Amino acid sequence: MEKYDFLTTVGVAFKTRVNGAGLSAFGSGGVIPLVFYPDTERGLTRLLRVLKNTRIAFRILGAGTNTLIADGGYDGVIISLNRLKQIKTDGDLLTAEAGAALPRLAEYAACAELSGLEFACGIPGTAGGGVYMNAGAYGAELADCISFVDAFDTVSGGTVRLYSGDLGFSYRNSIFQRDKNLVVLRIAASLKGGGGAAIREVMRGYKLRRSATQPTERSLGSVFKRNDGVIPAVLIDKAGLKGYNIGGAKISERHAGFIVNSGGASSSDYRALASAAAEAVRQKFGVGLDLEIEIIK
């Protein structure tokens, strides 16, 4: 912890020796020496500028719904964005800080009678993480409505505005995965006016579909990306792996695309089970699977 002591004078709230299991939706992970919780964009950028001039590794974390933290923890600093959650609308433009939950964005838009974010009503992530992964569901994704993203560039030490054409969106991918020097601060979505009742009815249908098909246990959502139309869950199911477990990690019996924590699962259990599922699919169908989740180690 001593090598991080100077960072605690930056003026951003922090905690020391944080259990990673409390930061990841899967509920596993080792100790993190220092976690910051900025509650303003100014505080976040001030912290990032200080880190820019050090050799200290850091990772940005939203809701932890797509992130596995290694059992050995992380020898660096984590910056949690879960206190940066302001949302506003101006006409048909919705802006949100990076830590705002995607379901809150969908609800906020519905209250403003704005359509275009209904698909996000059940995605358990944040605005920043959603843009980072180009999150989507039910045939729609954030790339469909994002107008621009304000980001901090850790190389220049300044804030940049990236418009939709600059964001390099593709399936579950964006420029932010390829350029780790960019940290999402705020997103802006261009929406369309619509009837509030109709918008809520669409959201209700999505929520019902999600609750009927996805597990309720702790998980990180989809383990693998779709690739060339291949649906990993279908192949994992056909390989007979539903319910298969390693330690406390288990392939969901409700949806084979999810690994759930059936009790006391470690991150190593998760990774071993993901590797076993990918290998089984490769051997049986000749198809390679790519992880959708992020790993902090």
Side-chain angles (χ1 to χ4, degrees), residues 85 87-89 94-96 100-127 137-138 142 145 187 189 191-192 195-196 198-204 206-207 210:
K85 51 189 178 183
I87 307 170
K88 293 181 179 178
T89 55
L94 180 146
T95 60
L102 289 172
R104 280 193 64 231
L105 265 64
E107 182 63 27
Y108 200 100
C111 288
E113 298 195 341
L114 293 173
S115 176
L117 280 171
E118 292 91 334
F119 71 93
C121 66
I123 299 176
T126 59
Y138 308 117
L142 282 175
C145 63
I187 75 167
L191 307 176
K192 297 178 180 178
I199 291 170
R200 290 188 180 281
E201 185 60 26
V202 171
M203 288 168 57
R204 178 176 174 275
Y206 287 158
K207 290 176 182 178
R210 184 173 286 267

Side-chain angles (χ1 to χ4, degrees), residues 76-160:
V77 170
I78 283 184
I79 303 173
S80 169
L81 302 186
N82 64 11
R83 297 184 184 179
L84 293 171
K85 51 189 178 183
Q86 187 180 71
I87 307 170
K88 293 181 179 178
T89 55
D90 182 6
D92 63 0
L93 191 71
L94 180 146
T95 60
E97 290 181 324
L102 289 172
R104 280 193 64 231
L105 265 64
E107 182 63 27
Y108 200 100
C111 288
E113 298 195 341
L114 293 173
S115 176
L117 280 171
E118 292 91 334
F119 71 93
C121 66
I123 299 176
T126 59
V131 164
Y132 179 90
M133 292 295 299
N134 187 20
Y138 308 117
E141 56 189 13
L142 282 175
D144 299 333
C145 63
I146 293 298
S147 176
F148 64 83
V149 173
D150 288 334
F152 183 82
D153 184 343
T154 59
V155 174
S156 69
T159 300
V160 294

Side-chain angles (χ1 to χ4, degrees), residues 60 70 155 212 295:
I60 305 294
V155 174
I295 300 175

Side-chain angles (χ1 to χ4, degrees), residues 9-40:
T9 66
V10 174
V12 174
F14 65 90
K15 294 180 181 178
T16 60
R17 294 195 57 78
V18 176
N19 186 349
L23 298 174
S24 170
F26 190 68
S28 66
V31 173
I32 312 298
L34 186 60
V35 179
F36 284 98
Y37 300 88
D39 56 11
T40 65

Side-chain angles (χ1 to χ4, degrees), residues 1-274:
M1 176 60 202
E2 290 79 6
K3 70 177 180 179
Y4 305 126
D5 283 349
F6 75 98
L7 291 173
T8 63
T9 66
V10 174
V12 174
F14 65 90
K15 294 180 181 178
T16 60
R17 294 195 57 78
V18 176
N19 186 349
L23 298 174
S24 170
F26 190 68
S28 66
V31 173
I32 312 298
L34 186 60
V35 179
F36 284 98
Y37 300 88
D39 56 11
T40 65
E41 287 183 11
R42 180 175 293 181
L44 171 59
T45 56
R46 184 168 64 246
L47 174 60
L48 290 170
R49 286 191 178 100
V50 171
L51 284 167
K52 172 181 181 288
N53 297 317
T54 75
R55 295 190 176 211
I56 295 174
F58 70 91
R59 294 289 296 266
I60 305 294
L61 191 65
T65 54
N66 199 51
T67 305
L68 187 72
I69 297 174
D71 294 325
Y74 175 61
D75 187 21
V77 170
I78 283 184
I79 303 173
S80 169
L81 302 186
N82 64 11
R83 297 184 184 179
L84 293 171
K85 51 189 178 183
Q86 187 180 71
I87 307 170
K88 293 181 179 178
T89 55
D90 182 6
D92 63 0
L93 191 71
L94 180 146
T95 60
E97 290 181 324
L102 289 172
R104 280 193 64 231
L105 265 64
E107 182 63 27
Y108 200 100
C111 288
E113 298 195 341
L114 293 173
S115 176
L117 280 171
E118 292 91 334
F119 71 93
C121 66
I123 299 176
T126 59
V131 164
Y132 179 90
M133 292 295 299
N134 187 20
Y138 308 117
E141 56 189 13
L142 282 175
D144 299 333
C145 63
I146 293 298
S147 176
F148 64 83
V149 173
D150 288 334
F152 183 82
D153 184 343
T154 59
V155 174
S156 69
T159 300
V160 294
R161 175 162 291 183
L162 302 171
Y163 291 93
S164 57
D166 305 318
L167 294 169
F169 282 130
S170 59
Y171 175 73
R172 300 298 177 266
N173 207 329
S174 74
I175 190 174
F176 301 103
Q177 292 187 45
R178 300 184 292 277
D179 187 347
K180 302 293 188 178
N181 295 311
L182 296 172
V183 177
V184 177
L185 301 175
R186 178 181 297 268
I187 75 167
S190 182
L191 307 176
K192 297 178 180 178
I199 291 170
R200 290 188 180 281
E201 185 60 26
V202 171
M203 288 168 57
R204 178 176 174 275
Y206 287 158
K207 290 176 182 178
L208 286 173
R209 285 173 64 183
R210 184 173 286 267
S211 64
T213 59
Q214 296 190 5
T216 57
E217 302 98 323
R218 300 187 74 157
S219 79
L220 297 177
S222 297
V223 180
F224 301 104
K225 297 178 182 179
R226 294 190 183 191
N227 191 1
D228 294 330
V230 172
I231 301 175
V234 172
L235 299 185
I236 294 169
D237 189 3
K238 287 183 177 179
L241 293 176
K242 270 189 175 180
Y244 181 70
N245 74 287
I246 293 179
K250 181 174 72 172
I251 294 176
S252 171
E253 292 165 317
R254 176 176 282 193
H255 191 306
F258 288 66
I259 290 177
V260 299
N261 189 336
S262 62
S266 68
S267 296
S268 297
D269 292 339
Y270 185 106
R271 295 176 70 179
L273 184 55

